[in-house]
Amino acid sequence: MNSLVLLILIIAGGALLSYFGHKINKILGNITVFAVALIIPIYWFTQVDFTETVSFTVSGFHMELGYNMYGKLFSMIVMILSPLALIYAIGYMKDQKKLATFYFSFLFSILGMTGILMSRDFVSLFIFWEIMTWSSYLLVIFLGKDVQKTGIKYMVFSAIGAYAMLMAIVIIYKNTGSMMLSDYFGSFAGFTLQTKLLTGILLLLGFAVKSAVMPLHVWAPGAYSNTPMAYTSVFSGALSKMGIYGLGFVVVNLFAQANLEIVGYVLAWMGAITAVLATFSAVFQHDAKKLLAYSSIAQLGYIVTGIGIGTELSIMAGLYLAVLHAAFKGVLFMVVGAVERQAGTTDMNVVSGLARKMPFTFFTALIAIIALAGIPPLGGFVGKWMLYESLINNSNFLMVIMIFLSSTAAFLYCFKFLFGLFLGQQEPEFDHVKEASPVMIIPMLLLSVFLLVTGAYPGIVFKYVAEGMTNLGFHDVNWQMSVLTNAWGDSVNVQHVYLSVVVVFVAFLIFITWRGYKHSTKISTKDISSSGEMIKPEDNMTYAMDFYKPFQRVLQPILKWKINKYYEDFGKGLEALFDFMRRIYTGNGQTYAVYVIIFLAILLIFSKSIFGY
Amino acid sequence: MVITDPVYFIALPLLTAFLLPLFGKIYKPLIGIIPGLVFAFLAYISFDLYLNLVPGKPIIIQMAGWAPPWGINLVFSEFSGLIVTLITFLAFLVWVYSYNFKKVGFDNSKKYFTLLMLMVAGSIGVVLTGDIFNMFVFLEITAIYSYGLTAFYKGRDSAEAAFKYLLLGSLSSVFILLAILLLYKQVGTLNMADIAVKAQSIDPKMKSIIAILFFVGLGIEAEMFPMNGWVPDAYSQAPGPVAASFAGMLAKSGIYALIRVFYTVLEVKGVFDLLLIMGLLTIIFAEFSAMRQKHLRRMLAYSSIGQMGLIMVAFSFNTKAGIFAGLFLMFNHAIIKTLLFLSSGFLTYSTKQKKIRDLDGFGKIMPFTSLMFGLGAFAIVGLPPFSGFWGKLNMLVATADSNLYFVIALILLVAVVEIVYYFKVIGRLYFRQQHKDVEVHNPTWNAILAMSILAIVIIGVGIYPDLITDYLTKATNELFDKAGYIHSVLPNLSLN
Amino acid sequence: MSENKLNKEQLLLDLLKKKFILNESAVRRAKRVEVKVDPKEIIPVLLYAKENSRYISFAHMSCVDWIEDGEFEVVYILWNPEDKINLFVKTRISRDNGVLPNIDFIWRQANTYEREIREMFGIQFEGLVGRQEFILEDWEHMPPMRRDFDTAEFVKKTYFKRPGREDAKDVREFVQERTDEELPDFAKKYSRD
Amino acid sequence: MEGIGYKILGAVLTTILAFVVGMFYGGFSRKIIARIQNRVGPPVWQNFLDVLKLLFKKTSVRYGLMHHFAPLWMITMSITTLMFVPVLNDGLFFSNLNFSGDIIFLLYIMVFGSLGMALGAGSTGNPNSAIGVSRGLTQMVGFEIPWVMALVALMIQYKTTSVTGLMEVQSQSGTWLMFSSPFAFIAALLAMPGMFRYSPFDIVGAPAELASGPISEFGGKYLSTMMTSGSIFAFVKLTLYVDLFMGGASNLIVLVLKTFTLYMYPVLWGAVSARFRTEQSVRYFWGWPTFFGFIALIYAAF
Amino acid sequence: MYNDKESQKIVDIIQNYARKHSLFILAYGTGCGAIEIPPTMTSRYDAERFGIRGSATPRQADVLLITGYLATKSLKRVIKVYEQMQDPKYVIGFGSCTINGGMYWDSYNTINVLDKYLPVDVYINGCMPRPEAVIAGFVKLQKLIQQGKADGWDIYKKNIDEYKANQKKIITNWVMPDFNF
């Protein structure tokens, strides 16, 4: 039995098992989910043989499944993040209803993702893409909160993306006669410019919707924040990477070879604009979920820019950031989920001062935020550095400024996220909050350990990225375990950075705590220097409302026009058109008869032109 | 053992339809059982005949001994055989579904089953007949009994719907009769094969008039754009199983007639482009107005018109791939639309005004029916693991072959609209709190049986579409070579 | 000149006499009219003064402790910017838990005065909005401005005195020694003998 | 062994040098500002005394781990930045770890400390410090843009992203970068006061309005560590400016001279200007300095 | 770093020298004397040449200036601020109101002798002393620090309960956290 088919059967079987497990009773369901969450990665890492392929023909279309290195890189993200998210989900979804459908669609979306990464031809790619879409749709509307708006918006956008891809597939099939990806890549040069652009752009459209590039990102904030947090970490961590996977092989394999770099360049620009605008809107959110949703759109913007540029260093940066983004975004959404479960709400105007009560969650959130912001000791910096170096090396300097503006503004919402949820005043109404259950903490800790390690040894990720890039046409990708080099020969030894930061930190830690720590007394946050005024425990001294008001005043002209406005008007226009169409069917027989007569008359008059005599 | 003869298809239902009241006198539940037996027998015959059909040699039966050019003959070839098997299979399932149809008292079921049997006989007749006038007669039979079935419930709306259907149906029969008369005057014969041979000799002017008349007449039956006003009312006012049979059989026979006329009988050059334009218009108007529907059944009716439009577009390519895709879509539409109508039958039966808004939270109260409806919706929209996807894929491949890129874009855009309104209903079914006072009518065991058979067929074809693809290719080849048809019907006629 | 000077004040006084029952009324001097009214007449008089005779600005409100008569006298001082005349409206209420109507709906600032009088004298005003505590925080003793509150005694009891300098003389005596000016007799009474 | 031991000794010496020079710069600036305000002003070594006194404070207050770590992030940042900025051109002694310190790395390490300190300030719970931090970060977005434009312009023009690389370019071509790419220098210069948070942009730690903003809850040892890191960071920034635009310094005296003259610019401008509100400062930074930044970029690109 | 008598003395000298030359005044003016501080700090009298600088919060301050009469209400705040200051802290009483009540000697809600409630290191006489007097006060304080005699904070800690008793006598509704150093 071919290992790939077995993998698919395991995941599908796991989904069904956990569905019926949860239908029977909760504990059995949780056990099955836990077992499935362990079996899938173990099987993938040990048994799956990455060279063999399995193929079968269905109604005249030849379908083939098989791993290539590029797919292996992305399925590593899926295989690491989703089991952890599943284990986290056991803790997170403890007292929710309808768990059966939740786990069923969760595992089916994993099936969809692994399928996409394995499929070597367009039909199976499209099939798994659709499975992934509708299973994630079921989860977007799982909590039933304003199903109408976010659910339908998500479905429409993914449908548009999927059907654009289907159109491209059909046209490719007509031109190349076969559905295989390799044939398409091979014969891409032979197409006429018009079909080249048509098929390429349509494929790009399909993938860009999933990776939330600016004009098509409207579904992302709603979808990311309404889904249960356990799934959002996979949703934004792994699912959006499918879009990146697709962008990767389209932009790099096709357009680069067929010297159409202009498409990649435009895509990079769209990525940069996405990064800036998404960061600006992330800064002013007061709900932690929305903030993270916009921030993951911004991070995807970086990755898209990286891939769009197309030089070896920038693609390496893009793919490296993709891996990192999956890790720290996964942790951050798990953190928000833990806070939501323990403190009841994630609205930063309400919650404050959970650091002391949820120390582990705060620690992992801190690590993830440092990685997200790209600050030196941790892995995020490596990705950012490579991105900047690649941009500067082929001197498109305006984009560097855009990316830098968005990453500096990213510090704002990084601080706001940590301060809003964890630091600030310790309010009495949150005294009851306890640390999240260990089932939720362990996945978070594992991922943050991964982030810490990549800080010093980014090589462990570079290995797989380099392998992946061989499929994209970059054969000898030079990377060292912990020294980053750019085209002009400058290099940063990340280990030195790590070493000096740790050494200096420990030195001064000893200096400050020596003899001082014992004397100092622990103070509650109510005993602050408030010019002598007596602060009673119930006085709310938290500062959270309108956190970056001055920045908002500066950005007023930019933030005025909102992209949703255009979509709403477009939607209303469509509604009016549909209403007009419906009026055709007036509902009384006579008009229908008149229609028939008129139609007949028209045909008779124009019979000369229609039938040619 | 029993000689399998296509004549039974028509004779047996007609005979038993009128004997039903007698059986009813002898033993009351017999009324429910007899139609079942008949349909089962018909289904058995059609399967048996179809399976051991030798390609290239369809079964030709002369009625009452007259040779073809004069007598009426029945043609049971791959193409017509496929449709007949489809119709009998669906008829049997509709019978299983509405076996002890609760709302129908003792006397109604008598009327209901007779009308149903006659309609089935008529639609099989349309498909089998080789004689143009005979086809007109069978069209009339199906039309009349469908008026009866639409007006089955005593309410004001069903009467009005039936009247609308009657009005348009009579218009269509007038046009078809006129076309046949003109044709007879030109060609002198009524046998399709014979007309096909003599068609070239008609002078073009007259030929175009005949084509237009046929186009409009059969267009009404095949729910083409300007003429399908009756469809939403008829489908929504008729009882659940009847609407399903309409979608499954009536529409199929209408399309079959249109194809038979324009593919084999009349060879008219420009008709296919017209068919393409009309098909696209049908899709656009139907799907867009389906978007704004409040009633579940009307929405399904509009969506079924949309599917018919898609089939017309498929056939309008006049290429082998186009026909193959059209047949696949016809098969899909028949199966999935029947499942949707059957499951929506019970859903709307529990709501007061059949509105989509009342369907909130039905996922919990009627789990099986809403699961079936969800499955049907996923299939009709074309999501992968179900048969709808392969149909749509082949359809798109066919359109790409005749490189009509804007048609692909249009079809996919309309598919997005379709996704929106189907998923709105699913969203309501599963992810909303249900309203307070809802009395639940859970489906009876036979309804569950019928629906699950359909579901199994959908999933089966979805996972492994090769089950039916080779039958479809055989039917395509048969339809495509006109000469083969003529030769088999008139073996001794030397092609002059 | 002084004669016509008073007619505006007299005019006002007659007007008020006609309209209300005035216990006492007199034109004290140029630009000052005094009127004494019962507590329940206060609001009508003030409203009338404000609306009709344009006494629109509420200058001051104070309270006098007539401990001998056992009454508080509350004085409302209004000012007419055109005629430049001060109208004094006085009322008398009993010293122990007297109640007066609240007039901050006529003038908003009266609220502050009323709160101060309530805290310092203990007069209650119906429907007075605002915290009980106004200037003194956690004050449990008798309202301090009342004349029967012995401040010197209170200070001696609560606060400490820095020892030494008991012989401190009044600075005026000190000045007298140095510059041998005669100490004014009213000061003699207070010198610490 | 000789290399490592030497390097560590060099590193420690550079830190001490930076600390002493930074402190004296602080003293000088207070003296000069005092002189401008027509008053005598404290002795030049006043900062040392302040730090010493704070160190000898007996009791200290603790709000939790993050509060305790805040000054540590600051001092780590400034010393690590010091490690990666070449202090003397070829000075054997003060070469410290300065492998070719990459500019982008320096940009990011500079933010590391302030973000850590922001978290510490946030954990104290004092609303003033939270407001101070939010204003500080907003201002940072403001002044980072022209500063980065200047740096990118340099990098593109001279095709190197390392400080030592730029220094070599200057030593070979003989002309300081100040003259060969003037617009980049102007943009960087205009962005400098924002970086030092001196008077026009000192709303972050406004003593009256925000009770000294983020550091309002830090006393005793914490405050002394912050003051030391502040002075070291000032020195580091100045040496960075000198390395980038004035061709680095061959020996100490030249270094001190150059850095001091450069230092006078934000101090003097600060002494005479009022305080900008946050959005005013961001609008200012995105006004003229960014305009010069764009010119520098265009100049560098062609 | 053995801390026998000898080395302790050296450390004390350095400590006192540092403390003497860098005094951080808490910007917390209570009575009418607060208006005297700006002239002492600005150009004409320039207290900064002595190393005296303002500081915004009690955590960073050394010197607490009680500049004028202290109502019981503001005494409560002053005590909380005093206790928030870090340890070697000094109090300077401005003007006669802190010495013996000044002209509010017989008022019912101002305290007369500051000494009873807070350990005062230096009193500056005058019904609001001029900046010269203020600087003289500061110099006096620096001399005291030099000699190690300015240990008001130590006295406060040693007989804390006596101070607390006095304070609680006039502050009835005590809502402050107890002394936490």
Side-chain angles (χ1 to χ4, degrees), chain B residues 54-295:
Chain B
V54 172
K57 270 179 60 291
I59 306 159
I60 314 293
I61 297 96
Q62 286 85 14
M63 300 279 275
W66 291 84
W70 297 281
I72 304 165
N73 66 334
L74 300 182
V75 177
F76 188 94
S77 65
E78 283 86 0
F79 178 45
S80 53
L82 176 74
I83 307 289
V84 167
T85 11
L86 205 61
I87 292 174
T88 44
F89 173 65
L90 287 178
F92 174 70
L93 282 186
V94 164
W95 172 76
V96 164
Y97 178 87
S98 54
Y99 168 59
N100 45 19
F101 198 45
K102 252 196 288 315
K103 273 186 76 169
V104 169
F106 163 68
D107 53 356
N108 293 16
S109 66
K110 176 147 54 70
K111 188 172 77 169
Y112 171 76
F113 280 118
T114 36
L115 291 176
L116 188 68
M117 292 248 278
L118 289 168
M119 197 193 78
V120 164
S123 48
I124 292 173
V126 163
V127 172
L128 279 183
T129 167
D131 179 292
I132 196 98
F133 185 73
N134 193 311
M135 187 172 75
F136 167 72
V137 165
F138 279 121
L139 269 174
E140 280 319 299
I141 295 172
T142 31
I144 290 159
Y145 293 118
S146 353
Y147 307 151
L149 278 171
T150 328
F152 191 75
Y153 293 133
K154 292 287 176 298
R156 195 189 72 78
D157 313 344
S158 49
E160 185 213 346
F163 171 71
K164 257 180 255 169
Y165 188 8
L166 175 74
L167 196 67
L168 286 174
S170 52
L171 259 181
S172 98
S173 41
V174 158
F175 290 139
I176 297 170
L177 193 61
L178 206 61
I180 292 169
L181 282 177
L182 287 173
L183 194 62
Y184 182 72
K185 196 169 150 331
Q186 292 295 327
V187 165
T189 162
L190 283 178
N191 188 297
M192 287 198 196
D194 210 358
I195 301 168
V197 166
K198 298 189 174 72
Q200 285 71 13
S201 63
I202 315 167
D203 74 9
K205 194 83 192 81
M206 186 51 73
K207 198 174 184 184
S208 66
I209 293 165
I210 296 167
I212 288 167
L213 284 172
F214 263 122
F215 192 83
V216 170
L218 292 173
I220 295 173
E221 282 307 316
E223 297 162 5
M224 206 177 285
F225 158 62
M227 294 89 85
N228 51 20
W230 58 274
V231 172
D233 301 320
Y235 277 50
S236 58
Q237 297 313 333
V242 169
S245 57
F246 276 1
M249 297 167 238
L250 189 72
K252 291 298 156 305
S253 53
I255 280 280
Y256 176 85
L258 196 71
I259 295 156
R260 188 54 92 187
V261 160
F262 285 108
Y263 263 80
T264 44
V265 172
L266 276 172
E267 204 51 45
V268 180
K269 198 155 48 46
V271 77
F272 293 113
D273 306 340
L274 182 64
L275 191 64
L276 173 67
I277 297 156
M278 279 304 123
L280 288 178
L281 282 176
T282 325
I283 301 176
I284 294 166
F285 277 96
E287 296 286 348
F288 282 4
S289 33
M291 176 78 166
R292 304 294 296 161
Q293 286 311 324
K294 298 280 180 298
H295 291 269

Side-chain angles (χ1 to χ4, degrees), chain A residues 283-336:
Chain A
V283 166
F284 303 114
Q285 300 296 337
H286 63 80
D287 178 5
K289 291 185 194 173
K290 275 275 187 334
L291 184 138
L292 281 186
Y294 277 109
S295 112
S296 62
I297 297 170
Q299 300 292 329
L300 286 172
Y302 294 147
I303 301 168
V304 164
T305 323
I307 289 178
I309 296 293
T311 64
E312 178 194 314
L313 191 63
S314 79
I315 290 183
M316 209 157 115
L319 295 179
Y320 177 81
L321 271 177
V323 174
L324 258 293
H325 174 268
F328 58 68
K329 200 50 78 179
V331 172
L332 282 175
F333 276 114
M334 289 183 190
V335 159
V336 167

Side-chain angles (χ1 to χ4, degrees), chain C residues 41-143:
Chain C
E41 283 286 311
I42 284 288
I43 293 184
V45 168
L46 290 178
L47 272 178
Y48 181 77
K50 180 173 183 185
E51 262 68 34
N52 305 87
S53 30
R54 292 182 313 289
Y55 276 81
I56 48 172
S57 88
F58 180 79
H60 187 64
M61 169 181 172
S62 64
C63 166
V64 181
D65 179 359
W66 298 96
I67 197 160
E68 294 77 11
D69 321 350
E71 278 177 343
F72 283 139
E73 182 180 320
V74 177
V75 182
Y76 302 86
I77 305 165
L78 308 179
W79 162 256
N80 177 341
E82 287 96 11
D83 311 346
K84 298 206 174 12
I85 296 166
N86 276 313
L87 171 65
F88 280 61
V89 179
K90 298 183 181 167
T91 52
R92 289 281 181 123
I93 50 167
S94 82
R95 280 190 89 254
D96 28 27
N97 49 49
V99 175
L100 268 176
N102 164 7
I103 59 159
D104 62 6
F105 62 92
I106 311 171
W107 286 285
R108 189 73 194 83
Q109 68 266 34
N111 174 292
T112 324
Y113 291 113
E114 281 164 2
R115 280 179 66 199
E116 197 207 4
I117 291 173
R118 172 176 67 182
E119 179 163 62
M120 291 303 170
F121 288 91
I123 304 174
Q124 291 305 330
F125 292 85
E126 303 129 353
L128 180 56
V129 168
R131 270 162 56 97
Q132 189 63 21
E133 267 179 6
F134 184 47
I135 297 165
L136 304 170
E137 196 180 46
D138 312 331
W139 178 266
E140 283 98 11
H141 315 285
M142 190 211 310

Side-chain angles (χ1 to χ4, degrees), chain B residues 8 120 189 221 289 300 314 328 347 367 370 402 432 450 454 474:
Chain B
Y8 283 113
V120 164
T189 162
E221 282 307 316
S289 33
L300 289 178
F328 205 136
L347 286 177
S370 20
S402 40
R432 279 289 175 86
L454 282 172
K474 270 192 276 168

Side-chain angles (χ1 to χ4, degrees), chain A residues 505-568:
Chain A
F505 187 83
V506 166
F508 277 90
L509 183 66
I510 297 160
F511 167 71
I512 282 207
T513 40
W514 174 61
R515 224 166 40 87
Y517 206 77
K518 288 194 295 310
H519 292 305
S520 65
T521 50
K522 204 160 179 49
I523 301 273
S524 91
T525 54
K526 290 296 175 198
D527 187 6
I528 51 177
S529 60
S530 51
S531 64
E533 191 37 58
M534 306 299 147
I535 307 175
K536 289 182 276 305
E538 61 279 4
D539 291 351
N540 186 346
M541 300 282 285
T542 315
Y543 166 62
M545 287 291 287
D546 284 348
F547 201 73
Y548 288 115
K549 196 69 179 155
F551 197 47
Q552 207 161 6
R553 282 193 214 105
V554 170
L555 292 180
Q556 206 49 39
I558 301 173
L559 292 178
K560 238 189 348 292
W561 63 274
K562 268 253 167 289
I563 204 150
N564 302 25
K565 195 156 58 57
Y566 295 113
Y567 280 106
E568 255 102 36

Side-chain angles (χ1 to χ4, degrees), chain E residues 35-42 44-47 49-50 94 124 128-138:
Chain E
I35 201 64
E36 292 303 323
I37 303 301
T40 42
M41 304 289 282
T42 44
R44 185 157 175 73
Y45 295 97
D46 190 9
R49 50 197 157 92
F50 298 99
F94 266 57
I124 304 175
M128 277 319 110
R130 284 184 47 80
E132 296 95 334
V134 169
I135 287 182
F138 278 121

Side-chain angles (χ1 to χ4, degrees), chain A residues 356 366 374-375 384-385 388-389 397 404 407 412 424-425 490 492 508-509 513-514 517 520-521 523 529 553, chain D residues 60-63 68 72 79-80 102 104 108 112 115 119 122 125 133 141 144 148 161 217 221 225 279 301:
Chain A
R356 284 194 186 157
L366 183 67
I375 296 185
K384 284 255 169 71
W385 187 84
Y388 287 123
E389 291 293 335
F397 45 82
F404 196 83
S407 82
L412 269 78
Q425 285 285 342
D490 309 295
V492 170
F508 277 90
L509 183 66
T513 40
W514 174 61
Y517 206 77
S520 65
T521 50
I523 301 273
S529 60
R553 282 193 214 105
Chain D
S60 68
V61 165
R62 201 163 36 75
Y63 284 92
H68 190 66
L72 298 181
I79 292 178
T80 331
D102 183 277
I104 296 171
Y108 265 85
F112 162 70
L115 204 58
L119 291 177
V133 164
V141 174
E144 286 278 335
V148 160
T161 62
E217 290 303 323
K221 267 192 195 163
T225 336
E279 63 265 18

